[in-house]
Amino acid sequence: MTSNRTLIEKLYAAFNARDIEAVLLRLHDDVRWANGMSGGFVQGHAALRLYWTRQWQSLDPIVTPLAISERDDGRTQVDAHQIVRDLSGAVLKDGKVRHLYRIEGGGVREMAIER
């Protein structure tokens, strides 16, 4: 669990710093990532780079892990506080979110949002 916890903490820190390359270093090349804006999933590094670039042109999300745990099915669960602002600073969303990660070989294979 310690290595997964460290991976997750670094992942969120890189995301909140808008360091796409540092995030991608922690993901498998063919990662499957939940599209929190319009539903479905984004597949692969190139698609994620484009997804986040577009997202950050209109939104300023900050996601802070509150609790990290392992589920019986092997996924890593992250309960987080998410604040989403527009680019003028107005808060659009302020609440908790649950992310589920499938980690393989030291990298994220999949991230899902539990609703």
Side-chain angles (χ1 to χ4, degrees):
M1 173 62 176
T2 301
S3 62
N4 286 358
R5 177 179 297 278
T6 300
L7 172 75
I8 293 296
E9 289 169 347
K10 288 181 179 182
L11 185 72
Y12 281 88
F15 176 85
N16 289 333
R18 306 297 180 255
D19 188 346
I20 292 175
E21 297 309 314
V23 174
L24 294 176
L25 283 174
R26 292 163 173 83
L27 311 179
H28 283 270
D29 290 341
D30 63 345
V31 63
R32 186 171 185 255
W33 194 272
N35 182 332
M37 293 177 63
S38 58
F41 287 86
V42 179
Q43 185 85 31
H45 282 201
L48 270 174
R49 186 179 286 109
L50 180 61
Y51 169 71
W52 284 321
T53 299
R54 286 182 180 163
Q55 181 184 73
W56 297 334
Q57 289 173 347
S58 61
L59 299 173
D60 182 23
I62 297 293
V63 188
T64 306
L66 301 172
I68 301 170
S69 59
E70 293 297 318
R71 285 190 161 192
D72 290 340
D73 65 4
R75 291 183 294 174
T76 301
Q77 175 178 310
V78 179
D79 294 319
H81 180 225
Q82 177 177 276
I83 299 175
V84 180
R85 292 182 172 89
D86 65 19
L87 296 184
S88 69
V91 175
L92 303 174
K93 180 179 179 184
D94 184 347
K96 292 184 181 177
V97 64
R98 176 169 287 164
H99 294 153
L100 302 174
Y101 292 89
R102 187 161 312 281
I103 298 171
E104 295 176 5
V108 174
R109 173 71 65 192
E110 180 179 84
M111 188 282 276
I113 301 170
E114 187 172 83
R115 306 228 183 250

